[in-house]
């Protein structure tokens, strides 16, 4: 079948709206008509180097139109959101940790199915797709069953897409990994969509001190509306000194969403004894380094992928909290028609919007 898509013809260039051809779903695959798709920082990062022609996008939601012969978890007509793919056969997948699937890179970032094929072509050329299980910068998606999560049909489909990555990642980093006890302290570095999800989760967990750290005063002001009890503007003075003034004994937990080595080092050094740092961000720094004394006194640094979530379990819970008004991320969403994808990307890069969602 044919689908409208935003194709990346060259790394770092604008997306090009065009028509692509999609395979029929295989026995373990699902065809989804996309209703909306969020734009995530990971899309923008991979757009600078991913092998082209490429079809990105990984915060899609929509309606199932067809299912393969072996698919049992969804059926045509179901409302779904989509998340990352996993092999389903390694020990980590089988024990409930698909975010750390031993084939994670191969099934999410190779641009191909596990057998090396692609479901997407453009004018006879093979397109590198299957990005994080979906490649949802398109009107239709062929996704593996494991990347599709059935959700309550009463939920807002347009809002649901970003839960599959950004919101799940930030919230899961707090709720699934750090699991802060009531009364504890946490600092979240980066007050974008992922950071805000972490801030909301920290507030839900009963943290007494929830500190948002950023360089954008508007984002910091908005963070207070999501549950931040304190804010730190890193341009207003040394970040470490501002954090020490708030919690002299050191924070119990920190989350870094920036992917910057200097920021992560500051985050780790702001921890108190037995403090835990969650590393979420993918950004400009390829390495991280600390003074060895930074991780003494029982401090630990933990990498977090996809909020350490089992999406089929965690996403419905998170969406349920949103429906009850307890996870109010809709305040940060700005909607753009799919045809305005490049304008939406520019708005995300500039920080004008917290989370851009493309609608079909």
């Amino acid at each position: 079948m044919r689908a409208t898509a935003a194709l990346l013809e060259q790394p770092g260039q604008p997306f090009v709206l065009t028509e692509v051809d999609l395979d029929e779903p295989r026995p373990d695959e699902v065809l989804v008509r996309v209703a909306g798709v969020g734009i995530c920082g990971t899309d923008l990062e991979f757009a600078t180097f991913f092998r082209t022609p490429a079809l990105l996008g990984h915060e899609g939601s929509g309606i199932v139109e067809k299912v393969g012969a072996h698919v049992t978890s969804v059926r045509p007509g179901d409302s779904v959101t989509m998340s990352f793919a996993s092999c389903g056969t390694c020990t980590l997948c089988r024990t409930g940790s698909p975010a750390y699937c031993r084939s994670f890179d191969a099934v999410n970032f190779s641009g191909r199915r596990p057998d090396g094929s692609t479901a997407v072509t453009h004018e006879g050329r093979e397109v590198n797709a299957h990005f994080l299980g979906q490649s949802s910068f398109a009107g239709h998606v062929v996704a593996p069953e494991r990347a599709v999560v059935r959700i309550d049909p009463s939920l807002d489909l347009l809002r649901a897409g970003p839960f599959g990555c950004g919101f799940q990642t930030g919230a899961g980093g707090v709720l699934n990994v750090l699991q802060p006890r009531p009364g504890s302290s946490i600092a979240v570095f980066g007050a974008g969509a992922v950071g805000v999800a972490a801030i909301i989760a920290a507030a839900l967990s009963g943290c007494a001190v929830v500190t948002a750290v950023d360089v954008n005063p508007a984002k910091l002001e908005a963070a207070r509306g999501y549950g931040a009890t304190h804010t730190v503007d890193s341009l207003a003075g040394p970040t470490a000194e501002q954090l020490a003034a708030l919690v002299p004994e050191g924070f119990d937990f920190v989350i870094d969403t920036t992917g910057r080595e200097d920021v992560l080092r500051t985050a780790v050094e702001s921890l108190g004894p037995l403090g835990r740092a969650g590393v979420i961000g993918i950004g400009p720094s390829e390495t991280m380094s600390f003074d060895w004394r930074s991780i003494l006194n029982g401090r630990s640094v933990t990498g977090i992928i996809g909020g350490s979530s089992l999406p089929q379990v965690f996403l419905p819970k998170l969406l349920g909290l949103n429906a009850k008004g307890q996870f109010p991320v809709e305040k940060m969403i700005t909607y753009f028609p799919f045809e305005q994808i490049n304008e939406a990307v520019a708005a995300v890069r500039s920080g004008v919007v917290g989370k851009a969602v493309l609608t079909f």
Side-chain angles (χ1 to χ4, degrees), residues 210-233:
V210 181
T211 302
V213 184
D214 208 292
V215 297
N216 186 322
K219 288 185 177 180
L220 291 173
E221 180 61 29
R224 288 189 176 274
Y226 293 109
T229 60
H230 301 78
T231 60
V232 167
D233 184 343

Side-chain angles (χ1 to χ4, degrees), residues 174-175 180 186 197-210 226-229 326:
V174 174
L175 300 176
I186 186 170
I199 288 167
I200 296 172
L204 285 172
S205 299
C207 291
V209 177
V210 181
Y226 293 109
T229 60
Q326 297 175 321

Side-chain angles (χ1 to χ4, degrees), residues 228-262:
T229 60
H230 301 78
T231 60
V232 167
D233 184 343
S234 294
L235 298 182
T239 303
E241 293 181 10
Q242 295 185 70
L243 291 169
L246 292 175
V247 185
E249 68 275 19
F251 283 81
D252 298 310
F253 304 96
V254 297
I255 286 234
D256 174 60
T257 72
T258 70
R260 294 179 56 97
E261 179 183 6
D262 56 336

Side-chain angles (χ1 to χ4, degrees), residues 23-115:
D23 287 352
E24 288 293 306
R26 291 182 174 182
D28 63 343
E29 292 178 336
V30 177
L31 177 68
V32 178
R33 173 169 50 83
V34 179
V37 55
I39 296 177
C40 176
T42 303
D43 293 311
L44 305 187
E45 180 73 15
F46 274 78
T48 65
F49 64 83
F50 203 59
R51 186 175 54 173
T52 54
L55 184 55
L56 301 178
H58 66 284
E59 289 187 342
S61 58
I63 302 294
V64 175
E65 289 197 342
K66 294 182 181 180
V67 300
H70 298 163
V71 172
T72 59
S73 63
V74 295
R75 61 186 181 182
D78 281 347
S79 295
V80 296
T81 189
M82 292 176 277
S83 193
F84 56 82
S86 53
C87 75
T89 58
C90 71
T91 54
L92 293 170
C93 283
R94 288 184 176 274
T95 53
S97 298
Y100 305 104
C101 170
R102 297 188 186 279
S103 300
F104 193 90
D105 285 356
V107 298
N108 287 288
F109 300 128
S110 70
R112 302 288 168 141
R113 294 181 173 112
D115 66 1

